[in-house]
């Protein structure tokens, strides 16, 4: 009877009851009125079917209802249980419970990951704010303890304090941008603009920084064009290019180079920012776009980075319906690639 459905079980019991009643009446009386005995046996079978079917249904629902009541309460659902008596009820309940269990495992895993991320985020944010605050505190105390009257010290320490204030301001502004992007409240205006002109203007603005770091900025054409019209928010794409190029300069090698390339990719333009810097180990590649994640912590902090640049890049491109990827070899350099839709 394993795997038998309630309906099939009721039918089997009804057939047995009908057959038994026919046999009993046949033995207890003569062979006359055979058709009446058959009708009587059929009636007994039908009545038995409905009685057994109903009792089995009530019994199963009474036992199963406790399981589904618990599931509904944990899911916050108000839907009613519907059991198909034409199916194997045990298997049906087992499948429903396994489905519910899988969803609970996924939810618990997601909550644990979110909790871990929250703890890491709070720890990283506290660390990022602690360094400039302690620096400012040290500069101010030095000035209050007499340095304010020393012309060789006061301006120098005030400039250092101002630099740390700027660092905190950039950090908070970057956090504000990411928060708005994740909540969908940051305005993104997708309009046609000339990508080639935007790339050249961004490179020109970053040329002094590149020269100070002895990095050669290059533009490599993937195809000849006087204009490359793409669809996007030009100001946000400037931020993407700036963050990627600055990141490349900060992690570049002395007398190295940063190369911006563009290629035709059917209905999109592929843009790459490549360098021959220190590169990224394979163990770090999967996390480089996380907030506050740093490959070389001492080097990036010395360069004044907030640790949010690549996270902002990722969010901006996702808001454009695009993606970004990275390939890198440690000691040889990195290449960041993203696409923009053609206008």
């Amino acid at each position: 009877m394993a795997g038998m459905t309630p309906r099939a079980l009721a039918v089997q019991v009804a057939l047995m009851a009908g057959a038994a009643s026919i046999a009993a009446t046949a033995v207890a009386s003569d062979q006359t009125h055979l058709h009446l005995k058959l009708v009587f046996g059929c009636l007994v079978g039908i009545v038995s079917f409905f009685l057994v079917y109903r009792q089995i249904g009530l019994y199963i629902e009474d036992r199963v209802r406790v399981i589904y009541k618990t599931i509904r309460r944990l899911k916050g659902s108000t839907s009613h249980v519907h059991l198909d008596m034409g199916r194997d009820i045990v298997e049906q309940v087992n499948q429903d419970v396994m489905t519910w269990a899988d969803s609970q495992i996924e939810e618990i895993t997601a909550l644990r990951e979110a909790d871990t991320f929250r703890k890491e985020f709070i720890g990283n944010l506290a660390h990022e704010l602690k360094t400039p605050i302690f620096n400012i505190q040290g500069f101010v105390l030095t000035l209050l303890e007499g340095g304010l009257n020393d012309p060789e010290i006061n301006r120098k320490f005030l400039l250092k304090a101002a630099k740390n204030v700027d660092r905190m301001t950039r950090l908070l502004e970057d956090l504000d941008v990411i928060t708005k992007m994740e909540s969908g409240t940051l305005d993104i205006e997708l309009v046609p603009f000339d990508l080639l002109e935007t790339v050249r203007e961004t490179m020109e603005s970053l040329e002094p920084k590149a020269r100070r770091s002895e990095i050669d900025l290059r533009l490599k054409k993937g195809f000849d064009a006087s204009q490359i019209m793409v669809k996007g928010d030009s100001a946000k794409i400037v931020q993407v290019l700036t963050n990627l190029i600055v990141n490349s300069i900060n992690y570049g090698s002395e007398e190295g180079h940063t190369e911006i390339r563009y290629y035709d990719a059917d209905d999109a333009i592929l843009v790459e920012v490549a360098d021959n810097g220190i590169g990224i180990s394979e163990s770090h590649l999967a996390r480089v776009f996380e907030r506050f994640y740093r490959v070389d912590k001492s080097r990036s902090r010395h360069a004044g980075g907030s640790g949010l640049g690549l996270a902002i890049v990722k969010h901006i491109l996702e808001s454009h319906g695009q993606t970004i990827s990275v390939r890198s070899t440690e000691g040889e350099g990195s290449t960041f690639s993203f696409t923009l839709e053609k206008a």
Side-chain angles (χ1 to χ4, degrees):
M1 294 178 66
M4 181 176 292
T5 68
R7 189 174 298 162
L9 180 61
V11 169
Q12 188 176 39
V13 172
L15 290 175
M16 292 174 62
S21 64
I22 293 174
T25 53
V27 171
S29 60
D30 53 28
Q31 299 299 317
T32 59
H33 305 295
L34 182 60
H35 65 286
L36 293 177
K37 297 174 182 178
L38 292 174
V39 170
F40 176 74
C42 291
L43 289 173
V44 170
I46 293 172
V47 172
S48 299
F49 169 79
F50 283 110
L51 288 175
V52 172
Y53 185 63
R54 182 175 181 276
Q55 289 303 118
I56 291 176
L58 291 174
Y59 177 81
I60 291 176
E61 284 192 7
D62 186 57
R63 296 298 183 271
V64 169
R65 189 180 293 112
V66 178
I67 298 174
Y68 281 98
K69 185 178 180 180
T70 303
I71 293 175
R72 288 201 309 274
R73 187 179 68 252
L74 294 175
K75 289 175 65 177
S77 172
T78 57
S79 59
H80 296 286
V81 181
H82 175 70
L83 298 175
D84 184 359
M85 293 299 171
R87 293 175 53 194
D88 183 349
I89 298 300
V90 174
E91 180 62 26
Q92 182 181 348
V93 174
N94 181 63
Q95 289 178 0
D96 290 342
V97 171
M98 291 302 295
T99 301
W100 171 78
D102 289 341
S103 68
Q104 292 300 298
I105 292 172
E106 292 176 2
E107 185 176 347
I108 291 170
T109 302
L111 288 172
R112 285 178 177 171
E113 291 176 352
D115 186 57
T116 300
F117 177 80
R118 179 186 60 81
K119 290 177 180 177
E120 289 182 356
F121 175 76
I122 293 173
N124 289 328
L125 179 60
H127 187 80
E128 294 295 334
L129 289 173
K130 179 175 66 176
T131 303
I133 288 174
F134 283 176
N135 289 341
I136 294 169
Q137 185 182 41
F139 297 141
V140 171
L141 286 175
T142 301
L143 292 172
L144 291 174
E145 291 172 357
L148 189 61
N149 300 319
D150 188 338
E152 293 184 2
I153 292 179
N154 55 21
R155 181 172 176 79
K156 179 181 177 181
F157 276 35
L158 285 172
L159 288 173
K160 287 185 176 181
K163 185 177 180 180
N164 280 274
V165 170
D166 290 340
R167 178 177 172 181
M168 285 195 299
T169 302
R170 286 195 300 271
L171 173 63
L172 295 175
E173 286 175 347
D174 287 347
L175 277 172
D176 184 53
V177 169
I178 288 182
T179 302
K180 287 180 179 179
M181 286 181 178
E182 290 182 340
S183 62
T185 58
L186 187 69
D187 293 332
I188 299 289
E189 187 177 0
L190 302 181
V191 295
F193 70 94
D194 185 0
L195 176 63
L196 192 54
E197 180 182 0
T198 300
V199 170
R200 285 172 176 160
E201 289 177 354
T202 305
M203 290 178 65
E204 288 176 5
S205 67
L206 294 173
E207 187 66 43
K209 179 177 177 63
R211 280 200 300 268
R212 288 193 298 270
S213 301
E214 298 183 17
I215 300 292
D216 181 27
L217 286 184
R218 306 173 182 174
L219 177 61
K220 181 179 179 181
K221 300 179 180 180
F223 58 93
D224 292 327
S226 58
Q227 281 187 330
I228 303 176
M229 299 304 295
V230 295
K231 186 183 295 184
D233 189 315
S234 59
K236 297 298 186 295
I237 298 304
V238 167
Q239 189 172 6
V240 167
L241 291 167
T242 299
N243 287 2
L244 290 177
I245 295 173
V246 167
N247 191 69
S248 175
I249 293 172
N250 289 343
Y251 289 95
S253 302
E254 288 188 6
E255 298 183 358
H257 67 264
T258 293
E259 194 170 71
I260 295 88
R261 314 163 184 158
Y262 57 87
Y263 303 96
D264 192 332
D266 296 329
D267 58 347
I269 297 296
L270 173 66
V271 182
E272 292 186 343
V273 178
D275 63 62
N276 62 343
I278 62 174
I280 306 170
S281 66
E282 188 174 350
S283 61
H284 290 292
L285 285 176
R287 300 191 64 187
V288 292
F289 295 105
E290 292 181 12
R291 287 183 283 190
F292 296 117
Y293 192 79
R294 301 175 187 271
V295 176
D296 186 340
K297 297 183 179 180
S298 61
R299 184 166 184 170
S300 59
R301 285 202 182 94
H302 177 72
S306 67
L308 296 170
L310 291 179
I312 290 175
V313 165
K314 179 174 177 288
H315 281 294
I316 289 176
L317 291 172
E318 286 179 348
S319 68
H320 281 70
Q322 306 296 324
T323 58
I324 184 169
S325 61
V326 57
R327 58 184 188 274
S328 183
T329 302
E330 195 170 11
E332 296 183 12
S334 306
T335 301
F336 288 84
S337 307
F338 65 91
T339 56
L340 289 172
E341 183 184 353
K342 288 181 179 178

